[in-house]
Amino acid sequence: MSSALVALIAPPRVPAPLISSALFLSESTEGLDEGAGFLDGLAPAETARLRAAGRTIVLAPGQSVFAQGEPHAGIFLIEEGRVRVFYTGPSGRQITLAYWTPGHFIGGPSLTGGGRHQWSGEAIEACRVTALSAATLRTLIRQMPDFALCLIEALEAKGRCYTAMAQMLGTRSVIERLAQILLNLGDLYGRTEGGTCVIERRITHDELAALIGSTRQWVTMMLKRFQADGIITIDKAAIRLVRADRLQAIVQSAR
C-alpha cells in the first residue's frame, strides 16, 4: 500500500488532552481530585436512580454549561469531558477557578435553587453532563439520605479547593504562582528524560494567565525570562522543566 493511500485512510492525530485531573491553583497536587468520586458511597441502584432523575446534556467545545448571572436551576454532574469554571470581572478580565473532570459536579454553591450563578462553566472539549434540577435535588435529598451525605462531602471538597486558590492569590506573588503551577503540571503530567521533567500536555499562555490571575503578556515575558535563565525550555511539543529546583526555590522564597 502506498504511503499516500495510508495517509488518506489513517485517522487524524488527536492532540494529547490538556488535563486528565481536576486542576486549580494550589500549593501542591495533593487533593486536586477530591470530590471526583463523591457518588461512590451510593449503591448501584441509587446511582442509577439518580442519573435517571436527571437530564442528559451533550455539549460541544466552547458551549456554556451555565453562565455568570443566570438564575440557579440546579447542578450538573460531569459524565464525560472537562469543564472550565471561571469568573469574569467588570473589566471583562477572566480568572479560571478550576478545570473540572468526570465525577465532579458543577453549578454550586447553591444546590436547591435561589440566587444567581457567581461564575460560569464552559465545556473545553466535547462533554456530557447530567443536569439535576433544584426540585429534583430536593426530592432526592429527602428520599436518599446517603445522597445528602455525598453532597455534603462534595461541598467540603469544593470548599477546600476555593480556599486553596484564595490562599495562593492572597499570599503568593504572581511569579511564585507561576512557578507553582508549572511544578504542579510537572507532578501531574511530567515524565523524566535525562534529568529533565517533560510536560507533553501543552497549556497556552492565556490559560496559564487565567489560572494564576495575571495577563498573557506578563506570562509570556516571564516564561521568556525563565528560558533565558535556563530554568525551562518550550517548543511546539512540550514544556521542559530543566531546573525544577530553581522553580522550587522561587516557590519557597516566601515560606
Side-chain angles (χ1 to χ4, degrees), residues 113-191:
R116 295 182 179 274
H117 286 289
Q118 298 174 32
W119 44 75
S120 302
E122 179 182 86
I124 60 170
E125 62 186 26
C127 285
R128 180 170 58 87
V129 301
T130 298
L132 295 169
S133 70
T136 297
L137 281 170
R138 284 193 293 269
T139 299
L140 292 172
I141 287 170
R142 292 190 188 102
Q143 297 177 354
M144 298 168 58
D146 285 344
F147 175 53
L149 292 174
C150 289
L151 277 177
I152 291 171
E153 291 177 0
L155 284 170
E156 289 175 346
K158 296 284 190 194
R160 287 190 289 272
C161 153
Y162 293 123
T163 297
M165 187 187 72
Q167 288 173 339
M168 287 287 287
L169 290 172
T171 64
R172 292 290 184 175
S173 69
V174 188
I175 190 171
E176 289 166 358
R177 298 198 295 266
L178 177 59
Q180 185 66 70
I181 203 71
L182 289 173
L183 287 170
N184 287 356
L185 289 169
D187 286 344
L188 287 171
Y189 311 117
R191 60 179 175 81

Side-chain angles (χ1 to χ4, degrees), residues 40-62:
D40 291 350
L42 297 181
E46 292 177 312
T47 304
R49 178 183 173 187
L50 174 71
R51 288 193 164 90
R55 177 171 57 95
T56 299
I57 301 174
V58 177
L59 300 147

Side-chain angles (χ1 to χ4, degrees), residues 231-247:
I231 298 174
I232 66 171
T233 62
I234 302 177
D235 57 34
K236 292 182 179 180
I239 300 173
R240 290 174 169 81
L241 309 185
V242 180
R243 292 292 306 275
D245 60 319
R246 295 277 300 277
L247 293 174

Side-chain angles (χ1 to χ4, degrees), residues 2-157:
S2 71
S3 59
L5 183 57
V6 170
L8 284 174
I9 65 175
R13 177 181 176 275
V14 177
L18 169 65
I19 296 163
S20 58
S21 162
L23 180 66
F24 49 85
L25 192 59
S26 176
E27 296 276 4
S28 72
T29 57
E30 184 178 351
L32 287 182
D33 244 1
E34 279 187 17
F38 80 103
L39 294 178
D40 291 350
L42 297 181
E46 292 177 312
T47 304
R49 178 183 173 187
L50 174 71
R51 288 193 164 90
R55 177 171 57 95
T56 299
I57 301 174
V58 177
L59 300 147
Q63 277 193 289
S64 174
V65 185
F66 58 90
Q68 186 174 322
E70 288 182 347
H72 270 289
I75 63 172
F76 306 86
L77 308 179
I78 304 176
E79 308 287 0
E80 295 176 2
R82 296 162 292 163
V83 176
R84 172 183 173 241
V85 174
F86 60 94
Y87 173 78
T88 304
S91 67
R93 183 172 162 185
Q94 294 180 356
I95 182 168
T96 296
L97 305 177
Y99 289 94
W100 294 119
T101 46
H104 291 280
F105 86 83
I106 54 174
S110 179
L111 296 177
T112 56
R116 295 182 179 274
H117 286 289
Q118 298 174 32
W119 44 75
S120 302
E122 179 182 86
I124 60 170
E125 62 186 26
C127 285
R128 180 170 58 87
V129 301
T130 298
L132 295 169
S133 70
T136 297
L137 281 170
R138 284 193 293 269
T139 299
L140 292 172
I141 287 170
R142 292 190 188 102
Q143 297 177 354
M144 298 168 58
D146 285 344
F147 175 53
L149 292 174
C150 289
L151 277 177
I152 291 171
E153 291 177 0
L155 284 170
E156 289 175 346

